[in-house]
Amino acid sequence: MAAMAVDEKASNKSLEIVCRIAPKREYQESCISLVDDRYVKLIPPASYNPRNNDTFIEKIFKFDYVFDENDTQRDVFRKCALDFVENLVSGNDSLLFTYGVTGSGKTFTMAGNAENDNSGMLPRTLDVIFRSLPNIMEKCVFKPNGRNGFIIQTEEQAMLERLIIPLPSYSITKRLVETVSTKTLSHTRCCAVFVSYIEIYNDMCYDLLDETLTEERLFTSKNIRIDYVSRKAYVEKIKEIEVESCDEAIEQFLQAQERRKIAKTLLNKSSSRSHSIFTIRLVSASLQKNKYYPDPSQNDIHVAEMSLVDLAGSERAKRTQNVEERLTESNKINQSLLALRQCFERLRDNQRTTQHLPIPYRDSKLTFLFKSYFEGFGRIRMIVCVNPQATDFEENLHVMAFAKASQEIKLAQQKGSVHVLQELNNLPFNRRDISQWNKEFAKGVGKFQPLLIELFEQSPVIEIADCNDEISLSKIREYYTKKTALKRSYMDTVEKNMETLAAGLKSRLCFGDLISSRNAELLSELDGLRAEYANLNNNFKQLKRTNNSLKTTLSRYEASDENDRRREEENETKVRQKNEALAKQRRTLQKLEELLDTPVLSSRNHVAKLRQHFDTPSEVPTKLRPRPRETSTPPSRRHHSPPKSEIRITKPYMNQQYHRRSRSAGRVLDHQPMNHVPSGTIFQTKFPSSTVHTKRLSAENLKKCTDYVVTKQTADKNGNLRTELVKGVVTPTAGGGSAVRFNDIEVLHHKYPA
C-alpha cells in the first residue's frame, strides 16, 4: 500500500506553464523585466494609479521557463513542443495552448510565418512528425468511422478511393523546415496522419476545413459529443483530412486560416475573434507478417492526438472601445476565458480540501472540449504571452495572477508510452523501401545462396602393395569414414545457416544500396542548399549594410525634422498669439467707435438689433462705457414717482421684508437660462460677491445657498424683450433636501418709444 501511494504521488505533476515576453517597442516604457530563465518581475509604470491608492510593490512570478525577445521561434518549439511530438508518436495525447491579452504574440507563437524562419510551433511540429514516421501508409487505408474512431479498408477499397482524391496543390514555394527528429514507431507498425481545424466563435463550434463555410456561419455550427468508450470529448461531423506530407498539412492549415474570424480593433490590426484548435491525429496499426499492409483481423488500431490551441486574447471594452458585433465577440471571449479560470480554480480548491465540488466544464465549449485533459488523460502545457508595454500593465497583472494560480494545480500523468519506440538511426529506412529493394534484387539475382566453401584438403597418397593388404585398406577406409562424417556435419551446419546467411547478406546489401542512394540525394540537396545559403548570406550582409546606412540617414532626418517641427510650432504659436492680440484690439476699437458715434437709444428697440451693440461687452473697458444721458422730463411728471421697474433696478437685490438672515451668512444662487439674450440694460442687477451663477441646477448647489433667483426671458409678437427675475428663499427640509418659497418677481420690459 505504501509503494502504491508513492507511485500515485509521483504520477501527479503541476500544470506546466512557460512565459514568453514579446519584444518591447522602441522608446516605450516596459513593465516587465527578465530576472533569469525562470523568473520575471512585474514593474508598475509611472502612470499607474492603484484603485485603493496603495503603493504597488514590484512582484516576481515563477514559471517553468521564460523566453524573452532574444529567443527565436526554434528555441520556443524545441523547449515547448518537441517532447509533445515524441509523446504523440508513443501513443499519448497532448494539449498545447497559448494564453494572454490581445496583441501579445499568441498567434505568432503558434503559427508564425510559414514562408521564412519565423515559422511557429504548428509547422515545426508537422515537420518533426513526418520526419519521425517512416512507415506512413498510402491514403485511404484508414478511414474515419464518424464516431471518433477509424476502420481499416481493404486494398481494393483503398485503391478505388485514391483514384477519386484530387492531387494536392501547394502555394508555398520556399520554406525552411525543422531538421530535428524524435524516436519513431517500431517497424512492425504502420500509421497515417489526419488533421482537423475548428474554431470556437461566440461559444459555437465551426469547421474551418469546410469549404462551404460562409462569413455569416448560419446553421453550420457543430455539436460536442462524449465518446463513452475513451471518455474523450470530440466535435461531431467535422472534416478530417488525411495528409502524406508536411507541406500538404500546412497548405490545408493556410486555406482554413483564411476562413477564421479576424477583425481590426483599436489595440490590434489583426485580432483573433475566436479560439482556434488545430488537431493532429496519429492512427497506427500492426502490419501483416509477409505483407506491407495493416492486419484488420487483429483490431489493434490506436489513435493519439495533439491539439494546438490559439486562444483569443482577453479584452476590456474601455480600452478597445468595441461596439455592436465587436463588443459581442469580446464578451463571448471573456466569458470563455473566465470559464477556463473558474475550472482551474475549482480543480485547485478540490485538491486542497476534501470537499469535491463539481467543476463547471459545460459553462463553455472550450472547457467542455478539453475536459479529458483536465482529468488527467494527456499532457497539458500553457504558454503565457505578455506584452511589456506600460499600457498593458493591469491586464498583465491579471494574466500573471492566473498563471500563478494555475501552477498550483496537480494533474495526473500517464504511466508511460503506449508503443515501444526505437531510434531512427537503427532503422533509417521504412519497410516500403526495403520491400521494393527485395523485389528488384529477386528479379535481378534470382535464387540467392551463399557459395560453398572447400572444407577438405587433398586426399593423402597411400600405396597398396597387394589387394589382400588389409592394413592399407583399413587405413583408407578409416580416413574416408572420418572425413565423410566431418563433411556431413559441416554440410548440416551450412544448410542450417544458409538462410540466415542469405538474409543477413541481403540486409547488408539492401542497407548499402539504400544508403548510397540516400547519400546521393542528400549530397545533391546539400549542394543546392550551400549555393542558396551563400546567396542568402551575401544578400543578408548587403541588406544589413544598407539597413545600417538607412538607419543613420533616417535618424539624421528625424532629428532635423524634429527641430524644424519645433521651430514651426513656436513660430505658429507666436504668430497666432500676435494675431489674436491684434484682432482683440481691432474689435475693441471698432466697438468704441460704434458706441461713441451712434447713440444706443437711437436704434429700434428690437432684441436682435439691440444685441448687436452688446455682443462683446467684456471687451469694452468699464471706464470707457458711455454714461446714461439725463433726459428732460415734462413739468407735469417731474414730481411723480418713477416707473416701478426703474425703482427695482436701483434697489438692492433682496426684498427686505422677506429677508430674515444676515447678509454675511447668506449666499445667492443665480439660475441663468441656457440661451441668455443680452438686454442692454444700463442699470444692472446687484448681486453679492458670493453669488453662485449656474445654467444647470443641481441639488448640491441648492443646499449650499440661502436665496434663489431664476431668470426668465420672453419676447412678445413685436419682438420686445421681457425679463423676469423670480426670487425665493431656500429652506432646508426634514428629509435632507431643500424647498424654495418664491416671494418676489422683478420685471424688466423693453419697449420702443412712440
Side-chain angles (χ1 to χ4, degrees):
M1 293 295 293
M4 185 181 298
V6 171
D7 292 341
E8 184 179 359
K9 183 177 180 181
S11 64
N12 292 334
K13 187 179 179 181
S14 299
L15 179 64
E16 300 179 62
I17 299 179
V18 300
C19 178
R20 188 178 192 187
I21 304 174
K24 182 179 73 69
R25 297 179 182 178
E26 194 174 1
Y27 308 114
Q28 279 192 351
E29 184 182 4
S30 176
C31 64
I32 295 177
S33 65
L34 179 69
V35 179
D36 56 18
D37 58 355
R38 295 196 66 184
Y39 293 90
V40 295
K41 182 189 295 184
L42 197 60
I43 305 171
S47 59
Y48 176 66
N49 294 321
R51 296 181 180 179
N52 52 3
N53 295 326
D54 294 338
T55 304
F56 183 84
I57 303 175
E58 297 178 355
K59 293 185 178 181
I60 296 179
F61 296 89
K62 180 182 178 181
F63 294 90
D64 291 308
Y65 196 85
V66 179
F67 301 96
D68 61 355
E69 57 184 4
N70 297 321
D71 291 301
T72 61
Q73 295 277 69
R74 180 180 288 105
D75 298 332
V76 177
F77 165 75
R78 295 190 177 182
K79 291 181 180 179
C80 294
L82 184 59
D83 57 337
F84 275 22
V85 176
E86 185 172 340
N87 189 58
L88 173 69
V89 177
S90 65
N92 297 321
D93 299 338
S94 303
L95 172 62
L96 180 65
F97 64 97
T98 56
Y99 179 87
V101 300
T102 180
S104 57
K106 300 182 298 300
T107 304
F108 176 76
T109 301
M110 188 59 67
N113 189 345
E115 297 185 355
N116 53 33
D117 199 25
N118 286 329
S119 298
M121 288 188 294
L122 191 148
R124 294 178 187 273
T125 297
L126 293 170
D127 280 334
V128 177
I129 287 175
F130 284 97
R131 288 180 63 88
S132 304
L133 297 175
N135 294 338
I136 298 180
M137 294 297 298
E138 293 181 334
K139 288 185 177 181
C140 303
V141 175
F142 297 95
K143 183 178 181 181
N145 61 1
R147 299 183 301 274
N148 201 36
F150 292 86
I151 60 174
I152 299 176
Q153 299 193 115
T154 62
E155 294 187 53
E156 292 77 10
Q157 292 174 343
M159 187 178 298
L160 291 175
E161 288 195 9
R162 279 195 294 271
L163 296 176
I164 304 174
I165 298 176
L167 295 176
S169 59
Y170 307 113
S171 60
I172 305 174
T173 56
K174 293 183 180 181
R175 187 175 64 88
L176 297 178
V177 300
E178 185 64 49
T179 57
V180 71
S181 60
T182 64
K183 294 181 179 181
T184 185
L185 284 171
S186 173
H187 65 280
T188 60
R189 297 185 68 86
C190 64
C191 60
V193 180
F194 290 81
V195 296
S196 62
Y197 195 25
I198 66 172
E199 73 169 357
I200 300 178
Y201 174 70
N202 287 345
D203 206 32
M204 302 292 288
C205 293
Y206 299 98
D207 185 5
L208 293 178
L209 292 179
D210 186 5
E211 297 177 355
T212 62
L213 185 66
T214 59
E215 183 70 20
E216 291 77 13
R217 285 162 165 70
L218 298 176
F219 309 107
T220 56
S221 61
K222 307 296 181 180
N223 297 323
I224 298 179
R225 304 296 183 190
I226 295 292
D227 185 357
Y228 292 99
V229 177
S230 61
R231 297 175 59 187
K232 296 180 182 177
Y234 66 96
V235 182
E236 187 182 25
K237 297 180 182 180
I238 62 171
K239 191 175 182 180
E240 290 189 89
I241 299 179
E242 186 177 4
V243 291
E244 288 185 316
S245 65
C246 178
D247 290 340
E248 184 178 358
I250 293 177
E251 186 67 28
Q252 294 291 341
F253 168 75
L254 293 178
Q255 293 178 5
Q257 189 75 355
E258 296 178 357
R259 305 183 188 101
R260 188 183 177 187
K261 279 287 186 177
I262 297 175
K264 181 180 180 181
T265 63
L266 189 63
L267 302 180
N268 194 352
K269 294 181 179 179
S270 57
S271 175
S272 302
R273 314 309 300 165
S274 63
H275 309 301
S276 68
I277 304 166
F278 188 85
T279 303
I280 306 169
R281 305 184 77 187
L282 180 62
V283 186
S284 62
S286 298
L287 288 169
Q288 301 181 27
K289 289 185 178 180
N290 300 322
K291 197 173 185 181
Y292 186 72
Y293 203 83
D295 191 355
S297 62
Q298 293 188 7
N299 195 20
D300 66 339
I301 299 177
H302 184 80
V303 181
E305 66 179 33
M306 180 177 178
S307 298
L308 303 172
V309 183
D310 178 19
L311 295 179
S314 59
E315 298 177 344
R316 288 195 304 171
K318 183 178 179 181
R319 290 192 61 198
T320 58
Q321 298 180 5
N322 290 334
V323 294
E324 297 179 354
E325 183 181 1
R326 298 286 89 81
L327 182 60
T328 303
E329 294 169 351
S330 300
N331 293 335
K332 292 295 183 180
I333 291 171
N334 294 335
Q335 288 175 8
S336 60
L337 296 178
L338 177 60
L340 178 64
R341 290 194 291 268
Q342 289 175 348
C343 290
F344 280 11
E345 291 174 358
R346 188 64 59 84
L347 283 171
R348 182 192 59 186
D349 296 340
N350 289 344
Q351 293 171 1
R352 288 179 176 179
T353 60
T354 57
Q355 183 182 6
H356 295 285
L357 299 175
I359 302 173
Y361 291 123
R362 294 181 179 270
D363 288 355
S364 173
K365 293 287 195 304
L366 178 67
T367 54
F368 185 50
L369 184 60
F370 299 118
K371 173 177 176 290
S372 60
Y373 287 97
F374 302 143
E375 294 177 347
F377 293 93
R379 295 181 59 184
I380 307 178
R381 181 173 293 148
M382 179 171 64
I383 301 178
V384 176
C385 299
V386 293
N387 197 336
Q389 63 183 7
T391 55
D392 287 345
F393 173 75
E394 292 189 15
E395 285 82 356
N396 290 333
L397 186 60
H398 296 300
V399 170
M400 292 294 183
F402 172 65
K404 181 180 179 181
S406 302
Q407 286 178 324
E408 301 175 2
I409 300 174
K410 303 291 183 181
L411 297 177
Q413 300 295 317
Q414 293 178 343
K415 298 298 181 181
S417 301
V418 177
H419 306 307
V420 178
L421 303 182
Q422 57 186 13
E423 295 290 345
L424 271 176
N425 295 331
N426 297 332
L427 189 66
F429 309 106
N430 55 36
R431 290 185 60 179
R432 185 188 302 174
D433 295 338
I434 296 175
S435 177
Q436 183 65 25
W437 184 89
N438 286 330
K439 291 179 181 179
E440 296 176 358
F441 184 83
K443 184 178 180 181
V445 177
K447 187 177 180 180
F448 179 69
Q449 290 181 344
L451 297 177
L452 297 179
I453 303 173
E454 185 64 34
L455 301 177
F456 309 106
E457 67 276 8
Q458 189 176 3
S459 302
V461 179
I462 301 175
E463 295 180 0
I464 302 175
D466 190 1
C467 60
N468 296 324
D469 190 359
E470 295 291 338
I471 297 174
S472 299
L473 293 174
S474 62
K475 289 181 179 179
I476 294 173
R477 188 183 301 112
E478 181 182 2
Y479 172 77
Y480 281 105
T481 301
K482 291 181 178 179
K483 295 301 182 180
T484 302
L486 182 62
K487 180 179 180 180
R488 187 178 297 111
S489 65
Y490 284 165
M491 291 302 295
D492 291 340
T493 303
V494 170
E495 290 176 359
K496 185 183 297 184
N497 296 332
M498 184 178 296
E499 294 181 359
T500 305
L501 292 173
L505 185 57
K506 284 178 64 177
S507 64
R508 283 165 174 75
L509 291 174
C510 175
F511 183 83
D513 290 345
L514 294 178
I515 282 290
S516 299
S517 60
R518 178 69 61 84
N519 289 339
E521 294 176 359
L522 293 177
L523 285 175
S524 61
E525 292 180 3
L526 182 62
D527 293 338
L529 290 175
R530 284 176 178 173
E532 186 177 357
Y533 174 76
N535 294 332
L536 291 175
N537 193 21
N538 293 333
N539 294 336
F540 173 74
K541 291 180 179 179
Q542 183 177 359
L543 291 174
K544 190 175 181 180
R545 290 192 295 268
T546 306
N547 187 27
N548 294 333
S549 176
L550 291 175
K551 281 184 177 179
T552 304
T553 306
L554 180 61
S555 61
R556 186 167 59 251
Y557 285 153
E558 286 179 349
S560 177
D561 291 342
E562 182 67 19
N563 294 332
D564 294 341
R565 185 183 63 81
R566 290 180 179 177
R567 285 194 293 268
E568 289 178 0
E569 289 180 354
E570 293 176 357
N571 294 333
E572 290 177 357
T573 303
K574 292 179 180 178
V575 171
R576 184 172 62 254
Q577 293 176 353
K578 185 176 180 180
N579 292 335
E580 290 177 355
L582 292 175
K584 187 175 181 180
Q585 291 179 2
R586 284 195 296 269
R587 288 195 300 271
T588 303
L589 293 175
Q590 183 178 1
K591 188 62 181 178
L592 288 175
E593 291 176 357
E594 293 177 358
L595 292 174
L596 294 176
D597 295 342
T598 305
V600 176
L601 298 178
S602 62
S603 62
R604 292 183 60 85
N605 206 12
H606 194 276
V607 175
K609 294 184 178 181
L610 186 63
R611 186 175 177 179
Q612 296 178 0
H613 298 277
F614 297 93
D615 284 337
T616 55
S618 59
E619 297 181 2
V620 183
T622 306
K623 296 181 179 180
L624 298 178
R625 292 180 182 176
R627 296 182 179 179
R629 301 178 181 178
E630 295 182 358
T631 57
S632 59
T633 305
S636 60
R637 298 184 179 180
R638 286 182 183 178
H639 300 286
H640 289 268
S641 59
K644 187 176 181 181
S645 60
E646 295 182 5
I647 297 176
R648 290 191 175 183
I649 291 174
T650 57
K651 282 186 177 182
Y653 158 71
M654 295 303 301
N655 193 334
Q656 299 300 325
Q657 62 178 344
Y658 296 105
H659 185 61
R660 301 179 180 178
R661 301 180 183 179
S662 172
R663 291 179 180 270
S664 60
R667 192 173 186 184
V668 181
L669 178 62
D670 180 21
H671 187 185
Q672 295 288 338
M674 295 298 295
N675 299 318
H676 182 69
V677 179
S679 59
T681 306
I682 297 175
F683 297 101
Q684 301 293 333
T685 306
K686 293 177 63 178
F687 285 100
S689 59
S690 61
T691 301
V692 178
H693 301 277
T694 182
K695 292 185 178 181
R696 296 183 182 273
L697 185 62
S698 63
E700 295 296 329
N701 292 336
L702 201 60
K703 286 182 180 180
K704 299 178 181 179
C705 298
T706 59
D707 297 280
Y708 174 70
V709 178
V710 59
T711 303
K712 179 181 178 182
Q713 290 183 322
T714 57
D716 57 12
K717 61 182 180 179
N718 296 324
N720 297 322
L721 180 64
R722 177 185 176 90
T723 304
E724 296 181 0
L725 300 179
V726 183
K727 300 184 291 183
V729 179
V730 180
T731 305
T733 61
S738 301
V740 179
R741 181 168 59 86
F742 294 101
N743 52 22
D744 192 14
I745 299 178
E746 291 186 8
V747 179
L748 178 63
H749 191 197
H750 287 259
K751 184 176 180 182
Y752 184 73

